[in-house]
Amino acid sequence: MARRLLVAALAVAMTLVTVMVSAAAEPRSWQHVPVPAQVRPQAGLNEAVAFGPGRAWAVGSDAVGRDAPGFPLMMRWDGTAWQRQKLPGGDWQGELLSVAAPSPASAWAVGRDSAGGARLLRFNGKVWTESRPPSGVALTKVVAGGGETWLIGSRDGAQVLLRRDGRTWQDMPVPPGAVYGLHVKAADDVWAAGDTHAGAAVSHWDGQAWEQTTVSGFPRSAVGSVYAVSDTEVWAGGTAGFVGGPVGKPIPPLLVRFDGQAWNRVTVPTDFGAVSSLAPGPSGELGWVAVSRSQKYGPPGSWPPLVPGPDFLAWNGQSFTGHSEPAVAGEGESSRLHLAPVPGTETVWSVGRADGPENTFAPRILRFG
């Protein structure tokens, strides 16, 4: 009897080991997460921000038609599913463009209504309320970090940057050219991604002035995302630009890295597309790069000459590993990808917009980890 019990125990132990090894060996992948049933057709998401495994926000618009502006869309992740949130200010038409959070108890969202007016929403840890936007400013993006909150927008056709000083929004100096993205580490440590007539440009604010560097001089190149690990490791991504060529010619992605002395282009495992988002890993190092409309050359002589490339690039400190988004029934690939890491974990959200049937589009939410 004792021998039989021993044999049975060993068999159970070996089964458990086999299961654990198989689970560990199975590579993790990006998974599709459905949107709430209340979200209507023709919806798209622009940005998301996550505080932890059980809380995240995503913003965009839904019920968008050829001649209709649609309605602002905000959703909340409660740890189990995404839920649509009722917004303050009544049923206005328009779109929410951006969302950011200085802390779990404070968040901001910006958008525009169908008349072109700026919309600014504030979350106090319990409810969202309407906040008065800066006078005469059309808002496009809100960015938070290092206890700071900044806005990107325009006034009378000129770009503006605004910083929250506790009670009001303060106009800040703007670097030459255009700014598409910011990474705010502190009030005196802000990185801006954009372009000038000379090409893609990254600028650094030290609390007194902007120092700008052209990171790619190729015509029509630009960077829209920037992530600073430290003063000696900064990443920026966008598109490498092009000159001439047939209509619809694909554009190469652009990823550059600053080592404290110079900016250098980084090779990525795809040939075409746009670096649309950068996200840190659990330790604060660069963890992920998202490439919208990623394509690469197929084998020589193959047709079509281009095949789908990786949509997400995982960085391990030395090289990239490509990941593809999962196939979703009735939908095509994503045309927009925005990353939202869950702080302190390996979980990352991606929100955006995917191709739908017959030239329509659909909201797309993906999760890794």
Side-chain angles (χ1 to χ4, degrees):
M1 177 65 71
R3 179 182 177 85
R4 289 181 178 178
L5 291 174
L6 177 61
V7 170
L10 288 173
V12 171
M14 290 301 293
T15 300
L16 289 173
V17 170
T18 301
V19 170
M20 293 174 64
V21 170
S22 299
E26 183 178 351
R28 290 179 297 171
S29 60
W30 287 84
Q31 303 295 323
H32 176 248
V33 181
V35 300
Q38 306 97 316
V39 176
R40 291 161 287 192
Q42 286 281 94
L45 297 169
N46 293 321
E47 277 193 358
V49 62
F51 310 110
R55 183 184 292 182
W57 297 97
V59 298
S61 62
D62 78 343
V64 180
R66 288 185 175 88
D67 301 314
F71 295 86
L73 172 63
M74 178 179 287
M75 300 189 301
R76 179 178 66 90
W77 173 254
D78 62 9
T80 303
W82 286 94
Q83 305 290 341
R84 180 162 190 165
Q85 299 296 290
K86 184 175 178 59
L87 295 175
D91 294 329
W92 54 277
Q93 288 186 286
E95 180 178 19
L96 288 175
L97 301 169
S98 178
V99 62
S103 72
S106 176
W108 295 87
V110 303
R112 59 180 171 229
D113 58 33
S114 56
R119 292 281 181 152
L120 181 61
L121 308 181
R122 186 176 188 179
F123 180 69
N124 64 3
K126 296 181 179 180
V127 296
W128 286 92
T129 58
E130 287 243 38
S131 182
R132 178 175 295 179
S135 179
V137 176
L139 299 174
T140 56
K141 194 173 182 66
V142 57
V143 181
E148 295 277 303
T149 304
W150 288 52
L151 298 173
I152 302 176
S154 61
R155 183 191 293 119
D156 297 327
Q159 186 157 54
V160 296
L161 298 177
L162 301 109
R163 172 182 175 267
R164 185 75 176 178
D165 65 4
R167 293 185 177 182
T168 61
W169 295 99
Q170 175 189 6
D171 272 82
M172 301 295 291
V174 181
V179 173
Y180 305 122
L182 295 172
H183 182 206
V184 183
K185 294 177 68 66
D188 58 355
D189 190 4
V190 181
W191 295 85
D195 63 14
T196 69
H197 66 278
V202 175
S203 305
H204 181 248
W205 172 255
D206 63 3
Q208 300 294 324
W210 289 99
E211 180 180 354
Q212 187 173 77
T213 303
T214 300
V215 297
S216 173
F218 199 85
R220 299 177 68 179
S221 61
V223 285
S225 300
V226 59
Y227 179 68
V229 179
S230 66
D231 291 342
T232 57
E233 185 179 355
V234 185
W235 299 77
T239 55
F242 66 98
V243 176
V247 175
K249 177 182 178 181
I251 304 172
L254 176 64
L255 183 66
V256 292
R257 182 182 186 181
F258 180 63
D259 60 8
Q261 299 293 326
W263 287 89
N264 297 288
R265 187 165 181 175
V266 180
T267 300
V268 294
T270 189
D271 298 305
F272 303 102
V275 173
S276 57
S277 189
L278 307 174
S283 65
E285 303 289 326
L286 179 73
W288 289 93
V289 176
V291 185
S292 298
R293 298 295 194 190
S294 177
Q295 293 180 296
K296 60 183 180 179
Y297 288 112
S302 63
W303 185 262
L306 300 179
V307 298
D311 305 288
F312 304 101
L313 309 177
W315 176 251
N316 63 7
Q318 300 293 328
S319 61
F320 287 108
T321 300
H323 294 253
S324 297
E325 64 175 330
V328 179
E331 298 178 9
E333 65 178 1
S334 292
S335 58
R336 182 183 301 162
L337 300 167
H338 175 82
L339 299 171
V342 179
T345 75
E346 294 186 352
T347 300
V348 184
W349 291 97
S350 172
V351 303
R353 176 182 293 187
D355 297 333
E358 299 180 358
N359 295 320
T360 61
F361 53 87
R364 175 67 55 86
I365 302 181
L366 307 172
R367 181 177 62 185
F368 182 90

